[in-house]
Amino acid sequence: MSDADPRAEGRYVGWADRLAAALSTQVPEGEFHYANLAVRGRKLDDVIGPQLDAALDAGPDLVSIVGGGNDILRPRVDLDEIADRLEQAVVTLRATGADVLMATPADPADAGLLSSLRSRHAVHSANVFSIAQRRGARAQPVGPARCAIGDCGRPTGST
């Protein structure tokens, strides 16, 4: 979910930074403030704990929240519990008046050993979209997603 930064070797620009750059062009100079609180590799406990607390302290207008993807990589996982906890975080954010943007995990279909977790990713993605719909948030599919752009460029007949 990040690309090499062409301006600095060994540095990456993630999707949140790209989103912030695009959003900053939509408001008058000096009125856009951005904080990326995400830490790569963290599990939902961190996202809905310290990261959520820091976001709430900032009093944001918009919060993007991506969580649960690292949890579903574990050998044992309760997808319903992840959804319930993620939904409560969205409820908390929406109660402040903030808009919420959620994102699905990337489809691991072509990710070697991780492709065996595709069904978990599908359930988690469906949960993300359901939470967003129920709670007045937005959900964005990450990476190839047939629901977003047709066949996502896959050759005819592939799965």
Side-chain angles (χ1 to χ4, degrees):
M1 292 188 3
S2 63
D3 298 310
D5 186 340
R7 298 165 295 176
E9 188 174 329
R11 191 169 153 215
Y12 295 88
V13 179
W15 74 270
D17 297 319
R18 292 179 186 277
L19 175 63
L23 290 174
S24 71
T25 67
Q26 305 302 308
V27 297
E29 183 76 27
E31 289 189 23
F32 183 79
H33 304 280
Y34 164 66
N36 185 347
L37 304 173
V39 178
R40 184 181 302 256
R42 296 295 171 101
K43 295 195 304 183
L44 191 59
D45 285 342
D46 292 312
V47 174
I48 65 172
Q51 291 176 23
L52 178 61
D53 292 342
L56 291 168
D57 287 345
D61 298 315
L62 171 67
V63 175
S64 64
I65 184 167
V66 181
N70 290 322
D71 298 79
I72 63 179
L73 299 176
R74 304 301 182 249
R76 292 192 181 124
V77 63
D78 183 337
L79 295 170
D80 292 330
E81 179 189 11
I82 288 173
D84 290 344
R85 295 171 63 216
L86 190 55
E87 185 161 11
Q88 186 54 54
V90 172
V91 167
T92 299
L93 288 163
R94 294 290 292 141
T96 70
D99 288 319
V100 176
L101 172 64
M102 304 175 74
T104 66
D107 182 350
D110 300 318
L113 292 174
L114 294 179
S115 65
S116 65
L117 300 175
R118 194 170 192 208
S119 61
R120 287 184 184 184
H121 281 74
V123 170
H124 184 61
S125 293
N127 287 340
V128 166
F129 280 105
S130 295
I131 292 164
Q133 184 177 34
R134 278 193 303 276
R135 301 304 177 177
R138 302 272 192 249
Q140 175 64 44
V142 173
R146 291 183 178 151
C147 64
I149 55 172
D151 71 1
C152 299
R154 288 182 180 263
T156 303
S158 70
T159 56

